[in-house]
Amino acid sequence: MSDRLQAVKGMNDVLPADEPLWRRFEESVASSMRSYGYRRIRTPIVEPTRLFVRGIGEMTDIVEKEMYSFVDSLNGDSLTLRPENTAGVVRAVIQHNLLHEGPQRMWYTGPMFRHERPQKGRYRQFHQVGAEALGLPGPDADAEMILLCQRLWDDLDLVGISLELNSLGQPEERRAHRDALIAHLEAHHELLDDDARRRLHANPLRILDSKNPAMQGLIGAAPKLMDHLGEASRQHFDNLRRLLDSQNIPHRVNPRLVRGLEYYPLPVFEWVAPIGGSLLTVCGGGRYDPLVGMLGGKPAPGIGFALGVERILELMREQSVETETGQCDIYVVHSGEDTLAAALHTAERLRDAGVDVLMHAGGGSFKSQFRRADASGAQFAVVLGPDELARGEAGLKWLRDEGAATGSGRQQSVPLETLPDSVIDALLTDSDDDFDFDEPERQDDPDDRQIH
Ligand code: ATP
Ligand code: MG
């Protein structure tokens, strides 16, 4: 019997080979958020279980069957690994009285945990990026959220992500619809699955979100909440749609879009995209005006969205979104003890100049070091042997030339003094434009001078 240790089922390792993709994604997220004035908030991964029960609702998939909850053996408290982060963010906003300073625009990213059946695009530990705007009643803030998403898709060069919208109205409007909906579902009781029967009276709206193929006909024919909206809700929705039109954001009204949460009012939205041949939701959001009050704060409106990072990354893979190689530019080859101090110094100077350097470690012949240099993916090797150093020079060897493997590739001697400049020149001319040279901060730039 094998006792090989393995990751928990449904929880994935993200290996270094995937780093370029993740980095491209994370940098786009950070810059998109910044460009709308959203500031990052980091809340704990573990929260009191009752936060989610109250904030998400008892009759939801998440709270009913997907939470990783455990008892804190020190004091008997029930704690839960966060299945989503809106509740945590709102808790933090209330706890630190942030709304006292005015409306808050915030974003977060990190792992979420749900005990689901693992399958492609559905994991037990997955990642979300989300944004929350609190203290703003919309629909201007709603439009801003959607524009932010669109900017992110554009920044990631993703195509084919389409926007669906619905309005869930206000509680009294939902009540009228609810009665009609229950009557419709009861009239076809024999077609309801177990989940639907259980929710028929507790959370009938959620039945519309069922993925059970056998119930799709019934759901398609159900009364539409949209037809029960009052004047104010309708106007909010129409205004949002007009704002989206004015910014050329195409969208489709989907009357079956309900999202998970019983008490969420007004507009809800989802971005859907074809991934691996099926249409999946990559991002969902909507207003949650009652939430701040429900969690014990002074009532304040809110809207947010959460996107599934793994699904967006999958889309990036499918659409072959370009990423940087994630490899170092330079591999430093040296001849051990006598040259080590000089090699370290040279590597540091190259890094000062913004070049990414992999320094050979662990000794070995030049031949074996060149093998490692080649495997590293670096463009160039900088060679520091005793002879070169005695002349105040380094060898610069082109690793990606045709003849590089057989030793007939280009190589030249460069004075150590000017090595960083020569390396940057060589990288800029030889590395098909993908050298991401970070200009180091210049102390002599008057604009950068610190005021003391
Ligand atoms: P579904 O109806 O597909 O279960 P959901 O309503 O539970 O989705 P949300 O809670 O709205 O999903 O989460 C927002 C996004 O997070 C989803 O659109 C999806 O992209 C992603 N997501 C949700 N659950 C998972 C999971 N188990 N694994 C990977 N991504 C997930
Ligand atoms: Mg779910």
Side-chain angles (χ1 to χ4, degrees), residues 251-283:
H251 56 274
R252 184 175 83 86
V253 175
N254 175 1
R256 287 181 44 193
L257 184 63
V258 296
R259 319 256 326 118
L261 309 124
E262 170 80 337
Y263 10 70
Y264 285 22
L266 298 169
V268 288
F269 59 91
E270 279 190 1
W271 294 89
V272 296
I275 302 179
S278 46
L279 213 54
L280 289 183
T281 301
V282 293
C283 175

Side-chain angles (χ1 to χ4, degrees), residues 241-432:
R241 295 193 62 198
R242 253 198 301 280
L243 289 173
L244 294 177
D245 286 336
S246 77
Q247 305 307 306
N248 296 319
I249 304 283
H251 56 274
R252 184 175 83 86
V253 175
N254 175 1
R256 287 181 44 193
L257 184 63
V258 296
R259 319 256 326 118
L261 309 124
E262 170 80 337
Y263 10 70
Y264 285 22
L266 298 169
V268 288
F269 59 91
E270 279 190 1
W271 294 89
V272 296
I275 302 179
S278 46
L279 213 54
L280 289 183
T281 301
V282 293
C283 175
R287 295 209 70 83
Y288 47 79
D289 294 346
L291 187 60
V292 179
M294 278 165 41
L295 295 180
K298 189 168 146 235
I303 180 164
F305 69 76
L307 67 81
V309 175
E310 281 79 1
R311 293 189 192 176
I312 294 291
L313 294 176
E314 194 52 36
L315 206 56
M316 290 170 69
R317 282 190 199 95
E318 282 189 11
Q319 298 188 12
S320 308
V321 167
E322 263 191 49
T323 56
E324 282 157 14
T325 60
Q327 277 136 359
C328 280
D329 310 309
I330 298 294
Y331 194 97
V332 174
V333 168
H334 56 88
S335 47
E337 227 166 291
D338 297 344
T339 53
L340 189 52
L344 284 170
H345 181 72
T346 304
E348 289 305 318
R349 291 209 31 232
L350 287 167
R351 292 177 184 126
D352 288 345
V355 177
D356 300 334
V357 181
L358 204 58
M359 167 87 187
H360 182 79
S365 65
F366 269 18
K367 194 165 167 220
S368 68
Q369 292 191 42
F370 277 121
R371 258 201 307 274
R372 290 251 191 103
D374 187 44
S376 77
Q379 295 290 325
F380 296 93
V382 163
V383 187
L384 297 165
D387 299 346
E388 282 92 349
L389 287 173
R391 293 196 302 270
E393 289 180 342
L396 186 60
K397 187 170 158 45
W398 273 247
L399 292 172
R400 304 295 144 210
D401 270 6
E402 246 170 58
T406 56
S408 63
R410 269 178 295 171
Q411 182 157 1
Q412 91 187 25
S413 292
V414 178
L416 279 172
E417 277 292 281
T418 54
L419 180 67
D421 289 340
S422 308
V423 161
I424 287 168
D425 279 350
L427 284 166
L428 289 174
T429 29
D430 266 73
S431 60
D432 4 311

Side-chain angles (χ1 to χ4, degrees), residues 114 116 121-123 126 128 211 259 281-283 306 308 311:
R114 297 187 194 177
E116 305 205 60
R122 202 172 280 288
Y123 310 104
F126 62 101
Q128 286 186 336
K211 293 176 183 73
R259 319 256 326 118
T281 301
V282 293
C283 175
R311 293 189 192 176

Side-chain angles (χ1 to χ4, degrees), residues 30-174:
S31 89
S32 300
M33 295 294 179
R34 199 165 44 238
S35 71
Y36 288 79
Y38 283 64
R39 297 181 303 162
R40 183 154 175 197
I41 180 168
R42 300 164 209 250
T43 57
I45 282 173
V46 177
E47 296 273 2
T49 301
R50 61 183 197 289
L51 171 67
F52 301 115
V53 176
R54 266 210 260 167
I56 300 172
E58 227 147 344
M59 292 299 273
T60 55
D61 281 349
I62 293 180
V63 172
E64 273 188 338
K65 49 191 182 198
E66 296 175 359
M67 296 208 298
Y68 281 93
S69 300
F70 58 97
V71 173
D72 182 339
S73 58
L74 290 180
N75 58 11
D77 286 353
S78 177
L79 305 179
T80 292
L81 298 183
R82 64 183 186 195
E84 58 92 51
N85 206 29
T86 300
V89 168
V90 170
R91 183 214 30 82
V93 165
I94 297 168
Q95 184 174 335
H96 303 284
N97 202 16
L98 295 186
L99 284 168
H100 184 67
E101 301 157 13
Q104 296 290 316
R105 290 175 168 88
M106 292 157 295
W107 72 280
Y108 61 81
T109 182
M112 307 295 157
F113 303 84
R114 297 187 194 177
H115 199 276
E116 305 205 60
R117 202 164 62 76
Q119 49 191 290
K120 186 122 183 102
R122 202 172 280 288
Y123 310 104
R124 290 179 172 173
Q125 175 176 331
F126 62 101
H127 296 77
Q128 286 186 336
V129 163
E132 317 287 355
L134 286 159
L136 300 166
D140 45 4
D142 312 11
E144 173 182 288
M145 281 277 164
I146 288 169
L147 286 167
L148 198 167
C149 294
Q150 181 66 55
R151 178 170 298 273
L152 179 59
W153 315 146
D154 292 345
D155 199 59
L156 290 169
D157 294 326
L158 289 173
V159 294
I161 309 185
S162 47
L163 176 62
E164 304 201 338
L165 283 185
N166 192 18
S167 177
L168 300 186
Q170 294 291 2
E172 59 282 6
E173 296 153 8
R174 273 212 297 278

